[in-house]
Amino acid sequence: LKSKFLYTGIRVKNLKESVDFYTKVLGMEVAGRSDIPVAKGEVVSLRSENGGFELELNHYGKGSRFDKKYNPGEGLDHLAFLVDNIDDFVRKAEKLGHPVVAEMKTEKSRWVYIEDPNGIWIEIVQ
Amino acid sequence: LKSKFLYTGIRVKNLKESVDFYTKVLGMEVAGRSDIPVAKGEVVSLRSENGGFELELNHYGKGSRFDKKYNPGEGLDHLAFLVDNIDDFVRKAEKLGHPVVAEMKTEKSRWVYIEDPNGIWIEIVQ
């Protein structure tokens, strides 16, 4: 049996703040919104230029059995995004309140991390 | 500035166990392996049938500044995979030691969750 990796769903504390981050800082587009009554959840799907692969933002309302205390944890190490120019990106992200929190360098490449509104690490590569 | 969502990187406690799960249970393929000396990390990239979108398994060795106590947390809500037949899949996954941990039903659809070796929820849709 084969499978197809469809999307990555992250949990967010505040939908508006996270939609703002992924659309304004990372340039993604809202592809859809829906309610999942069975989980008392609300979902926003985001897409960037990648053959339709989606990032899904999941928000659970009061009374949902998934509305637990939020801890980013180590399950999700990071989400990676390719940008045209890393220096331009860093300047813009900083202006929008998301400064670089870590920088990595090897002989061949350099990449940086910023944090999303929930503390999830976002890798930026050029 | 636009960006391209490149891959999702999860952290794993044991590379072999996680590679086994994503290849044997979910049918992904190993696309590459590399060491990241700057983070004392080891990385395995996995691909399924999705225009090259990757799942990256990150393992941090002793002495790495990222080798913290592992907690799946709520940052990563779930990873979603499309399969041909949900019942066939469930039977096979159970046999491989990954029983269904939750099932959701609406009028239109039905989807289930299993857990990966680190407790990350994997959504299976048909």
Side-chain angles (χ1 to χ4, degrees), chain B residues 47-78:
Chain B
R47 231 174 255 164
S48 75
E49 303 172 21
N50 194 308
F53 195 88
E54 291 184 9
L55 179 66
E56 184 185 88
L57 308 181
N58 296 265
H59 180 262
Y60 299 113
K62 292 280 168 227
S64 165
R65 63 181 158 123
F66 301 110
D67 181 28
K68 299 174 200 159
K69 190 170 173 297
Y70 191 98
N71 171 358
E74 288 83 42
L76 180 54
D77 200 77
H78 60 283

Side-chain angles (χ1 to χ4, degrees), chain B residues 9-110:
Chain B
I10 61 175
R11 186 176 148 201
V12 303
K13 286 186 275 190
N14 180 304
L15 261 182
K16 188 186 174 315
E17 279 176 22
S18 288
V19 169
D20 277 357
F21 174 79
Y22 288 99
T23 56
K24 292 181 187 166
V25 180
L26 288 169
M28 297 186 91
E29 285 176 8
V30 174
R33 271 177 194 268
S34 54
D35 288 315
I36 311 286
V38 71
K40 290 190 182 146
E42 198 182 345
V43 162
V44 174
S45 294
L46 299 167
R47 231 174 255 164
S48 75
E49 303 172 21
N50 194 308
F53 195 88
E54 291 184 9
L55 179 66
E56 184 185 88
L57 308 181
N58 296 265
H59 180 262
Y60 299 113
K62 292 280 168 227
S64 165
R65 63 181 158 123
F66 301 110
D67 181 28
K68 299 174 200 159
K69 190 170 173 297
Y70 191 98
N71 171 358
E74 288 83 42
L76 180 54
D77 200 77
H78 60 283
L79 301 174
F81 289 83
L82 180 73
V83 299
D84 288 336
N85 183 299
I86 204 165
D87 295 309
D88 287 350
F89 180 88
V90 162
R91 263 191 298 275
K92 181 190 142 197
E94 196 162 46
K95 232 181 259 177
L96 292 168
H98 298 274
V100 167
V101 294
E103 186 158 2
M104 302 280 186
K105 262 183 202 163
T106 65
E107 275 171 37
K108 284 185 242 163
S109 58
R110 167 183 162 233

